[in-house]
Amino acid sequence: RTIGDRIGEAKASGNLGNTLKILGQFDEAVVCCQRHLDISREQGDKVGEARALYNIGNVYHAKGKHLSWNIAQDPGCLSQEVKDTLQKASEYYERNLSLVKELGDRAAQGRAYGNLGNTQYLLGNFSEAIAFHKERLAIAKEFGDKAAERRAYSNLGNAHIFLGSFHISAQYYRKTLQLSRQLKDQAVEAQACYSLGNTCTLLQDYEKAIEYHLRHLVIAQELGDR
């Protein structure tokens, strides 16, 4: 501010916003991120504007998750406050998405689609969540981003469970399992086995369910995860 560097001030405000978000000070975080957004617009900085929109989405997303953690519940069974907060997150992600499309930034589009999928899932809009996660998956494959691809498969599996499409869920979870082994991520492999065990139970394939749950148990023991 002292040297009149508006872009620097915008970036600093954005960083403050992200830090306050991590500290759980969501309302203060929104104020700082909004400052980042306002200055970016004033300066005609489209990249900064896109980043600020994404960051505000993240603050509302984190706030929505934080509020819903206090009450254990299924996706979609939310209080009005949580719904409104997640709806705001979704709106900012949508605005970010349309701007990064304009800028031709595919990687940023991937992140926006993933987060839109996650917010729609929490809101109980499972078909919309699936559409967004499929877009996320396509971009992850485009970039050869195996970790993002793995997350997309896992999220697609979760959403299909709530639509009662257990066979489709199982297919996505198998792909999750395959990729977690490629990535040598044992914790995620255990998680995929757990999801597959539950899905096989729903499909009444109990032999397979036992197999997956035993694999989950073995990895949990190996990792010392009580």
Side-chain angles (χ1 to χ4, degrees):
R1 278 179 183 162
T2 309
I3 60 171
D5 175 359
R6 294 293 276 165
I7 297 280
E9 185 185 339
K11 283 182 182 165
S13 297
N15 289 336
L16 260 173
N18 291 339
T19 310
L20 288 163
K21 177 196 79 179
I22 293 163
L23 291 169
Q25 294 173 30
F26 303 115
D27 298 337
E28 294 93 326
V30 169
V31 173
C32 292
C33 291
Q34 187 64 48
R35 181 115 191 97
H36 184 194
L37 180 62
D38 293 342
I39 299 172
S40 299
R41 281 184 177 152
E42 167 209 299
Q43 297 292 313
D45 174 7
K46 291 282 193 192
V47 173
E49 185 182 340
R51 198 161 290 152
L53 288 167
Y54 182 75
N55 288 343
I56 298 174
N58 282 346
V59 174
Y60 282 120
H61 193 174
K63 183 182 180 180
K65 284 201 285 195
H66 176 78
L67 289 170
S68 63
W69 279 336
N70 304 331
I71 331 141
Q73 57 208 349
D74 280 338
C77 311
L78 306 168
S79 73
Q80 198 51 50
E81 187 189 4
V82 176
K83 272 186 195 166
D84 293 345
T85 306
L86 291 170
Q87 203 49 61
K88 270 186 191 158
S90 207
E91 282 160 22
Y92 279 100
Y93 288 140
E94 290 272 14
R95 285 159 68 184
N96 164 263
L97 180 61
S98 79
L99 192 47
V100 293
K101 276 183 177 171
E102 203 182 296
L103 294 168
D105 185 342
R106 287 293 280 164
Q109 287 170 46
R111 289 191 290 275
Y113 280 126
N115 281 338
L116 276 163
N118 291 334
T119 47
Q120 290 305 312
Y121 173 81
L122 290 172
L123 284 163
N125 304 330
F126 303 114
S127 300
E128 288 90 334
I130 287 164
F132 286 128
H133 285 309
K134 281 184 172 169
E135 294 283 357
R136 176 68 192 109
L137 178 62
I139 295 173
K141 285 179 171 174
E142 227 174 85
F143 280 89
D145 184 343
K146 294 287 181 193
E149 192 182 330
R150 197 275 306 154
R151 286 194 300 275
Y153 282 134
S154 181
N155 288 329
L156 282 162
N158 294 343
H160 278 287
I161 286 284
F162 283 95
L163 292 179
S165 315
F166 305 136
H167 281 289
I168 300 172
S169 284
Q171 284 166 17
Y172 283 125
Y173 288 142
R174 281 191 197 99
K175 288 186 165 155
T176 307
L177 180 59
Q178 208 179 328
L179 278 172
S180 63
R181 284 174 178 162
Q182 270 181 41
L183 293 163
K184 297 186 167 47
D185 186 335
Q186 276 202 298
V188 173
E189 183 183 341
Q191 216 174 15
C193 288
Y194 174 78
S195 298
L196 274 163
N198 288 339
T199 310
C200 287
T201 300
L202 292 167
L203 289 165
Q204 298 182 344
D205 185 349
Y206 303 116
E207 293 299 319
K208 266 270 175 260
I210 289 168
E211 227 173 273
Y212 285 122
H213 285 309
L214 282 171
R215 179 74 194 129
H216 176 214
L217 177 62
V218 168
I219 299 172
Q221 287 168 339
E222 277 172 22
L223 295 175
D225 183 342
R226 301 288 286 173

